[in-house]
DNA sequence: CCAAAAGTGTTACGATTACACCCATGT
DNA sequence: ACATGGGTGTAATCGTAACACTTTTGG
């Protein structure tokens, strides 16, 4: 340890305040033709009013990312998903009882690949369309959700998210709907198709999706 | 308190791990014709090897933003600056002695408006060109610096940063240099000038900067 | 008077947008 | 057969990038 680090250590230990830290995860998935977000009702109890993002306390031997992954798996059975840090929330009164600092992540899942398994303390899990959130959302989680959507919206411009959100075979319309949901606006169908196909990462499987007029082809990642 | 919140409180208190939290601030400023970052040597001591971002421990009654603002003021005398959250670092071994979680911010300052005042525990403060960082940087602060530059670079595309970084009167060349420094690439002079003037937020003060061939005009924000 | 930097406008190119018809399938 | 949605190409527009000469000032 260098001197500087030694002194810095003193700096930290002298100011001995320590803080509970939690992670909350905004999980997005494409379901029933819409972009949705997963919310939970936690624990059994007489009043189960509020929906919450899945989340939990950081433990001694965990990184934030590790904690988020573990917590999500324990509560919902989901694993191996795409994660991204959104923001930290540190307002003094975010939690009614004690000071809690929360790091929010967002995750993208393809619900088809991630069957839900209710964790012990989980009363219920439900997917909500992002423009039809329930009115009863606990703590400041509505703010976390809104911020996560903003981050997602910004990231879609540069990053491709189809792989994470969509089933392995999908029609171009389904892909377009995901984009429109995230961006919150309508896109021109021809221009969208052209742009996506120019990326040269999708291929036409030759199969058509049945039950839909027009007979759209399924596409998959190359 | 609702039932849900009550239960969540149990959730948090049961897992009783609490963690020291610090904020570190990557302060950028335009100085000597270059974009620079401010680093400190902390505390007196025989060995003063490592440069560090200014930073300090979160206290009980502070938000992260509040803490960052206060810490920066105490260490360097700087106040009233533009802040933005970058990222949280939570690797287990970031700090040699104890578990410390760090939230990194970046700040933009106009050095002309913010005279430096060395704080008590500060041995020295120095501005480093972002492509000439010292080799001895403590902890994982090199990583924090690199991430902050990336965030800054991304933000310049949508946000205007001249006001924060530049003196009240500046030439368009100086403005261009800030952009080139942040982006890490050369820009076409005519296109840059055109774009900036089209924003319609700068005005030509009519004064010329002396000592420079060509006699460039000073501009200021409208 | 020479060198260095400031100031200025136009053209070419690429990317994005707008837009309409025919074909396939389900009902 | 009819209605719904799928598939496709082109022209217009906008924003970005490339580019050279004259003017001003310092040395």
């Amino acid at each position: 340890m260098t001197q500087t680090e030694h002194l810095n250590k003193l700096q930290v230990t002298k100011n001995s305040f320590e803080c509970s830290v939690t992670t909350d995860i905004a999980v997005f998935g494409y379901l029933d033709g819409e972009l949705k977000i997963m919310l939970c009702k936690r624990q059994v109890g007489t009043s189960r009013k509020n929906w919450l993002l899945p989340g939990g306390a950081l433990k001694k031997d965990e990184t934030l990312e590790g904690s988020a992954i573990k917590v999500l798996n324990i509560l919902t059975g989901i694993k191996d998903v795409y994660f991204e840090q959104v923001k930290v929330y540190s307002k003094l009164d975010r939690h009614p009882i004690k000071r809690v600092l929360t790091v929010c992540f967002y995750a993208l899942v393809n619900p088809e690949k991630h069957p839900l398994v209710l964790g012990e303390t989980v009363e219920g899990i439900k997917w909500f369309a992002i423009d039809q959130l329930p009115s009863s959302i606990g703590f400041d989680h509505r703010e976390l959700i809104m911020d996560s959507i903003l981050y997602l919206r910004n990231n879609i411009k540069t990053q491709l998210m189809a792989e994470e959100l969509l089933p392995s075979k999908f029609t171009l319309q389904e892909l377009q709907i995901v984009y429109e949901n995230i961006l919150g606006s309508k896109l021109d169908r021809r221009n969208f198709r052209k742009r996506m196909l120019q990326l040269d990462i999708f291929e036409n499987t030759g199969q058509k999706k049945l039950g839909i007029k027009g007979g759209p082809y399924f596409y998959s990642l190359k």
Side-chain angles (χ1 to χ4, degrees), chain A:
Chain A
M1 180 170 58
T2 67
Q3 183 72 12
T4 311
E5 284 164 351
H6 179 68
L7 292 162
N8 201 295
K9 166 222 151 193
L10 290 175
Q11 188 84 7
V12 170
T13 48
K14 240 189 303 179
N15 305 309
S16 60
F17 169 62
E18 302 192 341
C19 189
S20 293
V21 179
T22 64
T23 54
D24 285 313
I25 306 113
V27 183
F28 295 100
Y30 177 76
L31 211 67
D32 305 329
E34 278 186 301
L35 184 76
K36 306 212 171 184
I37 188 164
M38 172 194 289
L39 298 176
C40 302
K41 287 220 166 140
R42 299 292 299 273
Q43 193 81 356
V44 204
T46 50
S47 165
R48 302 159 190 164
K49 281 211 323 217
N50 289 333
W51 291 97
L52 291 172
L53 292 174
L58 180 71
K59 302 246 174 72
K60 195 177 183 314
D61 57 350
E62 295 173 335
T63 63
L64 288 164
E65 288 75 11
S67 177
I69 289 167
K70 194 203 69 179
V71 157
L72 191 59
N73 183 249
I74 289 176
L75 296 181
T76 70
I78 288 177
K79 58 184 167 184
D80 298 327
V81 295
Y82 175 83
F83 265 90
E84 194 112 12
Q85 223 183 82
V86 174
K87 205 170 158 185
V88 195
Y89 299 80
S90 65
K91 277 203 211 109
L92 298 176
D93 57 354
R94 326 187 27 259
H95 195 287
I97 296 302
K98 67 180 306 198
R99 181 79 192 278
V100 178
L101 206 141
T102 286
V103 182
C104 181
F105 290 81
Y106 76 76
L108 304 179
V109 310
N110 167 351
E112 175 192 272
K113 292 184 194 157
H114 297 278
L116 296 184
V117 182
L118 260 68
E120 266 186 37
T121 61
V122 182
E123 176 74 10
I125 299 181
K126 195 167 164 189
W127 291 97
F128 290 90
I130 56 176
D131 51 359
Q132 290 169 29
L133 297 175
S135 57
S136 54
I137 294 182
F139 306 117
D140 52 1
H141 285 200
R142 186 178 297 274
E143 185 186 350
L144 272 61
I145 293 167
M146 291 307 167
D147 286 345
S148 298
I149 293 171
L150 284 183
Y151 271 70
L152 181 60
R153 192 172 289 179
N154 279 328
N155 287 165
I156 201 180
K157 289 166 196 161
T158 50
Q159 287 157 45
L160 188 78
M161 313 198 147
E163 188 175 10
E164 315 291 344
L165 288 167
L166 287 171
S168 50
K169 293 178 195 303
F170 47 88
T171 67
L172 290 177
Q173 198 221 25
E174 289 166 344
L175 184 62
Q176 183 174 347
I177 288 170
V178 171
Y179 272 75
E180 290 179 339
N181 266 278
I182 293 176
L183 295 173
S185 60
K186 290 281 166 204
L187 299 172
D188 180 273
R189 189 161 53 97
R190 273 170 295 185
N191 294 333
F192 178 78
R193 298 168 71 89
K194 205 191 312 166
R195 206 166 354 120
M196 288 299 128
L197 294 177
Q198 272 168 4
L199 295 175
D200 202 35
I201 53 172
F202 300 116
E203 70 188 349
N204 189 324
T205 62
Q207 294 173 38
K208 292 193 170 187
K209 178 164 184 172
L210 304 178
I212 291 177
K213 295 173 184 176
Y217 284 105
F218 276 122
Y219 287 77
S220 65
L221 286 165
K222 271 187 179 168

